Amino acid sequence: MSAADGRAQVGDRGEVFVGRGPESELFAACVAKARDGEAWLAVVEGEAGIGKSALARRVTATLEDFTVLWATGDPSETDLPGGVVSQLVRRVDRDVVAEFPLLAEDSAVGVSAHAIGGQLLLLLGALQESRGPVAVVVDDVQWADPLSLQVLGFVLRRLWADRVLTVLLTRSDAERTVETLDRLVRSLDRAVRVEIGGLDEDDVAQMVRRLLDVRPAPGLVERLHGYTKGHPLYLRTVLAEVPVQALQGEATERWPVPRTLRVGIKALLDHLPPESVALLEAMAVLDARLPLATVAQVAALAEPARALSPALTAGLAQWWPTESQSPVALVHALQRDTVYDAIDPERRRALHAAAAGVVGTAAAWAHRVAAATSADPGLAGELEQSAKAEAVIGRNALAATRLLWASSLSDERPDRERRLLSACAQSLLTLQPVAAVALRTQVEDCSPGTLRTCVLGVMDLLDGRFAAAEARLTEAWHEALADPDAGWVAVLAGMFLAVIMIRHCRGAETVDIAGKTLAAGDLDPATSDFTRAVLATGRMWDQGPQAALLDVAHLPAEAGGATDLQLATLATRGVMQLFLGRLPAARADLATVARRDRQGAGSKLSHLSFSLLAILEYLSGDWKASESATDQALAIAAIQDHVLGDAAAWFAAVCVEAGRGQWDAAQGHVDALTRLTEALGSPPAETVYSALAQAMLAQARADHAAMLTSLEPLVDRPAAGGSEGICLRFKPFWLWQQSLLVEALTGTGQLAAATLALDDLRAGYDGTGYMQIVLARLGAQLAEAQGRPRDALAIYDRALAAAPDEGADAAPLFRGMLEHGYGRLLVTAGSGSRREAAKWFKSAHDRFSALRAEPFLARCDADLAAIGLTAPAQARSRVLALTERELSVAHLVSSGRTNQEAAAELYISQKTVEYHLSNIYAKLGISSRRQLAESLRTRQSQGPRAD
């Protein structure tokens, strides 16, 4: 289009930006805060073509001191794991990225989102150290792949003292994405939503003047604004069609403004030369930023430069002439859709066929499918084989897409249905089954068969229809086991059926199903290991953790000797050791799984490892490590599309919060656990965690009646007149449950029941681990309550002489409770000197103080005061002024970790480590890591004194 044809030229003016004053001011404030070391998120919402991308480009163009990482969601790559993250990383020098192997790899398949997120945090930290602030922009986030969305969600929740601005742009009609981003914004302290609407009349007038260098005729601006509602792309399209002379005369009042944007774009196409239309059609079919020569080859044009010029003038195409190979693309997705829809079927088929020959192998599949105008059994077979190859390496979403294509090209009903059902199965394996669930009607229309029954059963399970799911999966599992050619269906049905059994505490059935599924074969190593873990978990629910250890006996004794394909069973062994009270062995297993997970090994149980590691550290007395692991577990739980692991993470949080007297925080997590348990129908695992959390809170408050009430969901009481004791219903954490039950019964004066419960605890305890301290305290308390102080003193004496005072089994909270109880009994029974009682009060006080166990410390202070002793003021070290995150950083750094090593372990950036270190040094009045280590050691040596 030239000036000679009498039409306005708007495309060659480039991007004209007008208005957006309030939005720009909001962005300017976020930029300023990011420069000052506060990480901020801005979520920009608006309809397609409203100017979201233009605003983001305008903002980033001013960030001369920022490293800008930009990615754009692509609807053709939503099933490519980590595609958006890969785009962001490609903006960084390869030598820098090479330091972070999970980001340097081409594929993120099999790697957890938090592991990738951890290395992305380190990359952002490295960029800040070397280049200054960083801006991360993701356009069209509604088309981002699920893994990238999880990674971004994890990173945003872990950024703190970072000079990072993140901008996420999404269409307002993408409801699921908007809801996800809304939850993200609500979960962050430093986030803002920016809603983009149409331009006002003044902005429309300014755009007309800047695009056309004319003063618009009276009434034109009002009329344009009325029709376009200030939509920038619509407005530009309209202006490209207005005759120049009409803009300066009253004729514009009669000029017909297109009623819709699509109509306007179609009008532009009608005025372009045929070769320009052909070039734009090729761009629409390729739907990617590609070299002009490549697009011309698809369009069969000998002189693409001449064809490009009118398309640029019309504002439909964009060109990057200074870049290598001069890439071109359509300006906006709405233009692409309009151009594509206008191509006649035969022309479209030919263009797709040509495109398949110039793009990469992965992209070529989509073009070959689009080029097929009827059933193509040959292509369908190729797609099925390709899908199988993708499934083998874990690209289930990609395999599902290709199987759906294969189904649509199949000429025989059995092939069509088999491929459709296989596509659904692959989609369901991602545990993000939105695509598969949308196909339920088609699945129900398929002929009856084992695979159809299995797929419908999994859909029922994920939709919460457990009874229907169990019936269908049981039927499919039995049928598949009897069919030698249906091994993989037996595995699929067996895995999900075992999940149902575990959720309903049916351990023996879980063992049977998992065992037969393993025997069926056809399992890859990772799936085989996971199925072994499921089998062991079922036996634990049925017979207890000691019996279940035999199911993981194939593992090497040393955790470090396990391979990356044995992490599910290694995590399961760690859980069993934890339940048995063997803390050093449990730590070795769970810490190994967590460390391998950070390195990208990946395990279906890795997210639970952090929660259980946090619980373990609470029991062993390293509450700083417990808080750190809990923090990581909660961050991981926040990005999951399911609630598996949430209960364990919240329970881990309650343990330390209750122990420290952080009542509001602990009660908040207890309430969340209660809501989750009720929402899920009170499954056993969530019931155990919920009841234990409430009991731990009551224990910290020394409220024995509340402890007993909290434990009610876990117990079976004897029938009226029965002589048997109160029995616990569930095997996991049985020792912990039973110990709390004994304490609650003793504290409420139910001494006969407490005696029976204590006998059960002794019978079920193997004599190892920290529980020997707990058992001694409970025995002494019961003896004292029964009026046998001499027996109680003897129990205390033996326990304090025999129990370890250091190492992983020291359990300082429980040892402190033992010592405190002994001191109190010495005073009340008059069996020892004031000095002897003070000795044990002092020792307990030291332990409680080191843990910052405020409720226990307060009770110890009260007993000290009762015998005329007080804790010295210096016992409250300045270390107590440090926050949880500062303590986590302090202990890692004082143990010799570098900033980057500490950042990697805590899933934060190096900048956040530096920020916390500066605060730590200021609060403690020190200036070096050596002094930090001394400050932490000094705190352990302070205790109470006599007046």
Side-chain angles (χ1 to χ4, degrees), residues 1 272 276 279 304-314:
M1 190 186 305
L272 289 176
S276 298
L279 189 68
R306 189 171 70 178
L308 178 63
S309 181
L312 293 172
T313 301

Side-chain angles (χ1 to χ4, degrees), residues 594-615:
R595 183 172 59 255
R596 299 276 187 87
D597 181 69
R598 278 192 291 269
Q599 295 167 352
S603 163
K604 290 182 174 65
L605 299 180
S606 62
H607 59 289
L608 282 173
S609 299
F610 287 96
S611 300
L612 294 167
L613 192 57
I615 296 169

Side-chain angles (χ1 to χ4, degrees), residues 690-702:
S690 179
L692 278 178
Q694 294 178 61
M696 294 299 293
L697 185 55
Q699 183 191 49
R701 287 175 165 151

Side-chain angles (χ1 to χ4, degrees), residues 85-98:
V85 171
S86 296
Q87 286 188 54
L88 294 173
V89 172
R90 282 199 291 270
R91 303 274 181 160
V92 182
D93 292 341
R94 288 186 178 180
D95 291 342
V96 176
V97 176

Side-chain angles (χ1 to χ4, degrees), residues 205-560:
Q206 186 180 358
M207 177 171 277
V208 173
R209 289 193 296 270
R210 292 184 59 184
L211 282 172
L212 305 176
D213 289 331
V214 298
R215 183 175 296 279
L220 173 63
V221 171
E222 182 179 354
R223 189 158 177 257
L224 285 173
H225 185 268
Y227 273 99
T228 66
K229 307 302 181 186
H231 192 290
L233 184 60
Y234 191 0
L235 181 62
R236 289 182 66 115
T237 303
V238 169
L239 292 176
E241 278 299 292
V242 179
V244 174
Q245 62 274 18
L247 291 170
Q248 298 171 319
E250 295 182 359
T252 190
E253 298 294 337
R254 298 184 298 276
W255 184 78
V257 177
R259 286 286 181 176
T260 67
L261 177 57
R262 284 181 176 268
V263 171
I265 295 172
K266 184 64 172 64
L268 284 178
L269 290 173
D270 291 341
H271 291 93
L272 289 176
E275 61 269 22
S276 298
V277 174
L279 189 68
L280 290 169
E281 289 174 342
M283 291 183 197
V285 165
L286 289 163
D287 196 18
R289 189 171 176 269
L290 291 169
L292 178 59
T294 300
V295 179
Q297 182 180 345
V298 172
L301 293 173
E303 299 182 42
R306 189 171 70 178
L308 178 63
S309 181
L312 293 172
T313 301
L316 294 173
Q318 51 189 337
W319 178 38
W320 294 268
T322 60
E323 294 186 18
S324 173
Q325 298 183 307
S326 299
V328 294
L330 285 163
V331 172
H332 198 277
L334 285 175
Q335 296 169 330
R336 184 264 173 192
D337 293 345
T338 303
V339 173
Y340 188 84
D341 291 345
I343 306 173
D344 70 71
E346 181 54 32
R347 169 71 172 161
R348 187 184 298 178
R349 186 205 64 76
L351 287 171
H352 276 295
V358 301
V359 299
T361 302
W365 286 115
H367 289 297
R368 292 180 65 189
V369 171
T373 57
S374 60
D376 188 334
L379 179 55
E382 291 181 55
L383 283 163
E384 186 172 21
Q385 291 305 311
S386 171
K388 290 180 179 178
E390 297 292 353
V392 167
I393 61 174
R395 292 181 174 179
N396 303 104
L398 201 55
T401 297
R402 292 184 184 168
L403 283 165
L404 281 176
W405 289 341
S407 175
S408 69
L409 294 172
S410 303
D411 59 347
E412 298 290 340
R413 179 174 179 175
D415 291 335
R416 183 170 60 255
E417 292 184 349
R418 184 189 73 253
R419 289 160 178 163
L420 170 66
L421 294 170
S422 298
C424 290
Q426 290 296 326
S427 178
L428 292 168
L429 285 172
T430 67
L431 296 181
Q432 295 166 338
V434 177
V437 171
L439 297 171
R440 181 168 187 126
T441 300
Q442 295 183 47
V443 171
E444 291 173 338
D445 288 340
C446 290
S447 303
T450 303
L451 181 54
R452 174 184 179 274
T453 304
C454 177
V455 168
L456 288 173
V458 178
M459 288 181 173
D460 287 335
L461 171 62
L462 296 176
D463 199 35
R465 296 194 291 267
F466 296 114
E470 181 180 347
R472 282 193 164 117
L473 288 172
T474 300
E475 178 185 345
W477 183 63
H478 284 298
E479 290 178 356
L481 286 176
D483 183 353
D485 296 327
W488 76 274
V489 182
V491 171
L492 182 66
M495 284 176 57
F496 283 103
L497 186 58
V499 169
I500 295 176
M501 298 298 107
I502 288 177
R503 288 193 63 82
H504 291 85
C505 196
R506 292 154 64 178
E509 292 169 87
T510 301
V511 171
D512 179 61
I513 293 166
K516 290 178 179 177
T517 301
L518 281 169
D522 205 24
L523 281 73
D524 61 84
T527 303
S528 177
D529 185 61
F530 177 72
T531 308
R532 280 176 176 263
V534 170
L535 187 153
T537 302
R539 197 179 308 279
M540 179 180 66
W541 280 99
D542 182 41
Q543 301 175 27
Q546 185 64 54
L549 281 175
L550 295 175
D551 294 311
V552 293
H554 65 286
L555 291 170
E558 296 294 326

